[in-house]
Amino acid sequence: MKHLTGRHGDTGTRRIGSSAVSSLRISASLRLRVLFLTLPLALAVNFSAGAQTGKRSGAHSSIPRDNFSAADRSAVEKAIGTACAERIRDPLGSTPIDEMQARPSLSATNPDAIAGARRADRLLPVTRKLVAEAIVQLSKDYGLYDAPASRARVNSASARVQGVKRIRPNVDARDNASVLLRDPRVIEFGTIFLAGLKSDEAMVSVLGHELTHVASGQSDLLRPLFRAIARRAASRINLTISGQRAEELACDLVGLLATRQFIDQAPSWEPPPRRIARAVEHNCVDDDGSDEDHLSPRNTIRALFALDVTLARELLATETQSSSRTRNSLTARGTAF
Ligand SMILES: [Zn+2]
């Protein structure tokens, strides 16, 4: 996931030779970053959809015309404010990543870190399932599941998440999470980050992000999907989203959709808007910086809500309205291109 000055994440290029340098830059950053470490050298190999591919912006011009309206744009902006206000009111609101970064390291025996690790362990199995489903559903939504070759690629990617079996707390990882790409059975999770995600919803969101990196893997199986998602978001919020930023945003989107399904499947007395907000609250930063691999945290929320305006509107709904709704599938949202 992302945490780099507010986010988390992997990094830009796929140049193995420079990966050690990349990993140092990563650990200095605020966002949650996924480091792909190649063992046994402990080199961080950063995967970038864009670095490999270069620019192919015109390659997929068959996407239907977008119909993102001014009202949609307004709903997105309101939803950002609502989510971040809810974070302050919610006893289980997440700590923003800029606050996490400013904190001293947290011992693995810290009660909040222990609670976070237990939460992550408990939620990993259900999140694996939700992520696998979300990847398939998104691929269908974006027209990337029709051809047999595309379908095989997506199914292969979604199956990969089942290989992730453990969470490993790590003091030095601080506010980052990472996976070992060559052997992705473990998600390494900084103790500050574990302690800062206080709700199940926030944890599912972050685990979903990490698992999506695993799904795409070393062969970039999900690169077409990442690029399609980035293109749509870019057009809706008028930002350039290329290279690693595309993958990071797409991983966040999968995490958000997994959380939304989790909310439906794990009923609670809590208002659904509060629960939805938790999926993005770690991005409610004051220090809204970006880097080459990530949108800024607040632009990340903006892009996510622009990609799923229905979900943004659910966040704005009253408790009564939203709690009475049942969502049957991921397709219920974001059908407009
Ligand atoms: Zn990431």
Side-chain angles (χ1 to χ4, degrees):
M1 212 192 148
K2 40 181 19 176
H3 255 215
L4 234 218
T5 304
R7 60 216 210 178
H8 87 166
D10 331 85
T11 339
T13 40
R14 199 161 184 169
R15 285 167 292 146
I16 294 177
S18 66
S19 56
V21 175
S22 298
S23 81
L24 289 175
R25 275 192 282 136
I26 289 171
S27 59
S29 63
L30 219 194
R31 288 227 189 186
L32 197 203
R33 323 191 85 191
V34 175
L35 307 183
F36 298 122
L37 302 180
T38 54
L39 291 177
L41 298 178
L43 293 177
V45 180
N46 296 302
F47 281 67
S48 156
Q52 273 197 315
T53 336
K55 300 205 171 201
R56 278 199 270 154
S57 357
H60 301 79
S61 53
S62 58
I63 293 176
R65 184 171 174 76
D66 203 346
N67 57 2
F68 189 66
S69 69
D72 292 335
R73 196 177 308 278
S74 169
V76 166
E77 293 306 315
K78 283 183 192 163
I80 296 170
T82 298
C84 292
E86 188 59 34
R87 185 194 75 77
I88 296 168
R89 288 191 293 266
D90 183 0
L92 300 184
S94 304
T95 306
I97 45 192
D98 57 343
E99 280 185 37
M100 290 187 200
Q101 189 182 42
R103 291 185 174 178
S105 294
L106 202 57
S107 158
T109 59
N110 176 280
D112 292 337
I114 290 173
R118 287 182 178 153
R119 183 188 311 285
D121 279 335
R122 171 169 55 80
L123 293 169
L124 180 59
V126 67
T127 308
R128 281 196 305 252
K129 175 175 171 291
L130 294 172
V131 165
E133 292 170 355
I135 287 170
V136 170
Q137 188 59 57
L138 276 170
S139 298
K140 291 177 180 173
D141 290 348
Y142 282 79
L144 296 168
Y145 201 72
D146 297 331
S150 304
R151 196 177 314 140
R153 191 175 166 104
V154 169
N155 289 339
S156 171
S158 67
R160 286 174 51 83
V161 305
Q162 302 304 330
V164 180
K165 303 295 187 190
R166 283 209 314 120
I167 305 297
R168 182 190 296 139
N170 182 331
V171 172
D172 296 330
R174 293 180 49 80
D175 61 323
N176 298 315
S178 63
V179 287
L180 303 176
L181 194 59
R182 214 179 71 175
D183 185 20
R185 289 178 294 185
V186 177
I187 294 175
E188 197 155 83
F189 225 119
T191 48
I192 292 175
F193 205 38
L194 284 170
L197 300 173
K198 300 167 193 167
S199 65
D200 286 3
E201 292 80 9
M203 186 59 74
V204 169
S205 172
V206 170
L207 289 176
H209 178 115
E210 301 304 330
L211 290 172
T212 307
H213 284 306
V214 171
S216 193
Q218 288 175 306
S219 45
D220 282 343
L221 290 172
L222 296 178
R223 190 175 62 209
L225 178 62
F226 295 161
R227 291 174 63 81
I229 290 169
R231 271 195 301 275
R232 189 183 298 178
S235 74
R236 291 184 176 185
I237 66 172
N238 298 317
L239 278 179
T240 299
I241 306 174
S242 59
Q244 186 62 19
R245 286 181 169 191
E247 176 164 346
E248 296 301 325
L249 175 62
C251 290
D252 275 341
L253 181 62
V254 173
L256 178 62
L257 298 185
T259 305
R260 190 61 193 82
Q261 291 300 104
F262 173 78
I263 290 169
D264 277 351
Q265 294 176 15
S268 156
W269 57 269
E270 296 175 300
R274 166 167 286 187
R275 300 181 73 191
I276 293 168
R278 290 169 177 165
V280 299
E281 285 168 351
H282 54 285
N283 289 311
C284 291
V285 296
D286 290 327
D287 177 12
D288 194 32
S290 62
D291 66 21
E292 63 178 312
D293 298 332
H294 301 82
L295 296 174
S296 77
R298 284 179 180 271
N299 273 337
T300 296
I301 307 180
R302 181 167 289 112
L304 292 172
F305 288 165
L307 287 164
D308 194 336
V309 183
T310 304
L311 191 145
R313 289 208 162 91
E314 286 185 49
L315 193 55
L316 297 171
T318 67
E319 180 176 338
T320 309
Q321 288 170 327
S322 53
S323 60
S324 65
R325 294 190 52 182
T326 303
R327 301 167 59 104
N328 295 320
S329 87
L330 293 167
T331 31
R333 289 167 278 109
T335 51
F337 285 70

